[in-house]
Amino acid sequence: MHKPLAGQIALVTGASSGIGTGVATALADAGAYVAINYHSHAEPAEQLAAAITAKGGEAFAVGADVSDEAQIDAMFDAVVKRYGTVDIVVANSGLQKDAKFTALTLADWNTVIETNLTGQFLTAQRAVREFERRGMRDVSKALGKIICMSSVHEVIPWAGHVNYAASKGGIQMMMKTIAQEVAPQRVRVNGIAPGAIRTPINKDAWDTQEKLDKLLTLIPYGRVGEVEDIGRAAVWLASDESDYVVGTTLFVDGGMTLYPGFADNG
Ligand code: NAD
């Protein structure tokens, strides 16, 4: 099997479930050693590390709340201690706390912004510091690669989810601004904007046939996405195959951002 990430070290935040698990698995299958970050429950992350090692890969679980700078530092220290450095960082952790605009509490606004946006800022900042500390390695044309997990809601407004949509809109501009700043050092920063991917975060949208049928009206390609769809995109963005891709959001959404409501003459 082709191993485009052989010899590289990856860290995936929020990797104990959903898209993070799919990305960590795909990166490991592509030859990377993978640090699997979890927030509060170690067990699923440890099980994933065991599954990767059982297939002949290399992985370990590392806890951290991505909204806490000291815990981010400790997580990177643990990865560097274990593997020497990190080459690929996927800032994936995220959550939703949904409410009608007038009912949304400041606490739920802050929790979503701190996890989704500030968490990615802290993760990316610490990643670039580590890339700069260790300098070029002969495993990649880039000094390092960062992938920010965004959402189609970086461009699609979403009533009832103002905190989440604001966090993802913020991720888009944060990603592009960091990319502009660090590209001269050959750090590539890009984003992935998933559409509807079958994970625990959006179970409410697909767990009955009726809800699934309604969801599918938003997806021209006619199927819900799977975490493997995002995993494959992450491998490409992390590999030298995408070496000239800098500061771009890759939409992996089955066409959700194509305004399907206009397909039948609007
Ligand atoms: P998920 O709920 O399965 O995964 C989210 C992960 O983030 C969990 O592992 C959780 O433990 C972790 N997390 C939450 N708060 C954290 C914190 N403070 N510190 C560290 N980790 C924390 O959902 P998912 O669908 O896999 O979501 C992953 C990412 O993909 C999120 O950023 C989400 O916004 C994005 N996304 C998902 C979809 C989708 O359809 N599933 C669509 C667009 C974007």
Side-chain angles (χ1 to χ4, degrees):
M1 188 181 164
H2 180 48
K3 303 267 186 195
L5 304 180
Q8 298 195 52
I9 318 299
L11 165 65
V12 184
T13 68
S16 57
S17 72
I19 288 174
T21 292
V23 168
T25 303
L27 296 177
D29 289 345
Y33 288 8
V34 184
I36 298 163
N37 162 253
Y38 62 90
H39 182 205
S40 38
H41 303 297
E43 203 179 296
E46 279 160 3
Q47 282 169 359
L48 176 59
I52 288 171
T53 357
K55 284 193 288 184
E58 167 60 38
F60 83 110
V62 55
D65 175 343
V66 295
S67 66
D68 182 318
E69 189 171 22
Q71 293 190 39
I72 290 272
D73 276 342
M75 172 174 70
F76 274 84
D77 288 349
V79 177
V80 171
K81 185 167 177 225
R82 175 107 176 190
Y83 294 138
T85 188
V86 63
D87 305 285
I88 299 157
V89 172
V90 184
N92 166 76
S93 291
L95 46 74
Q96 290 180 216
K97 297 237 175 239
D98 309 329
K100 188 172 177 284
F101 176 56
T102 48
L104 182 65
T105 63
L106 179 59
D108 282 354
W109 168 269
N110 283 340
T111 300
V112 170
I113 297 297
E114 282 164 13
T115 306
N116 296 13
L117 184 57
T118 309
Q120 291 208 10
F121 157 70
L122 291 170
T123 304
Q125 186 183 55
R126 190 60 172 75
V128 173
R129 287 177 182 158
E130 171 56 22
F131 301 157
E132 289 176 342
R133 181 197 67 80
R134 58 112 166 109
M136 281 302 280
R137 296 192 334 124
D138 61 5
V139 293
S140 172
K141 291 177 181 167
L143 181 70
K145 282 90 46 158
I146 296 171
I147 299 171
C148 297
M149 201 57 69
S150 182
S151 163
V152 289
H153 296 295
E154 74 169 45
V155 292
I156 301 178
W158 203 13
H161 306 74
V162 66
N163 45 1
Y164 184 83
S167 75
K168 297 300 184 178
I171 285 169
Q172 181 198 45
M173 192 49 78
M174 180 186 71
M175 178 277 290
K176 286 178 184 289
T177 301
I178 302 170
Q180 185 192 59
E181 186 164 335
V182 300
Q185 288 120 273
R186 297 190 76 87
V187 176
R188 292 196 299 112
V189 188
N190 289 290
I192 295 177
I197 310 299
R198 202 186 305 267
T199 75
I201 210 174
N202 58 4
K203 196 166 180 291
D204 248 11
W206 50 259
D207 64 352
T208 68
Q209 190 60 46
E210 196 186 347
K211 289 184 204 166
L212 183 63
D213 289 344
K214 187 165 173 246
L215 178 62
L216 289 175
T217 65
L218 299 175
I219 309 172
Y221 203 58
R223 71 168 173 88
V224 173
E226 305 297 340
V227 298
E228 291 78 10
D229 292 307
I230 307 302
R232 284 187 288 272
V235 168
W236 181 72
L237 274 180
S239 78
D240 283 352
E241 295 295 314
S242 63
D243 187 54
Y244 208 50
V245 180
V246 175
T248 288
T249 301
L250 179 58
F251 284 81
V252 185
D253 68 352
M256 191 177 251
T257 39
L258 298 176
Y259 297 95
F262 283 82
D264 193 18
N265 209 23

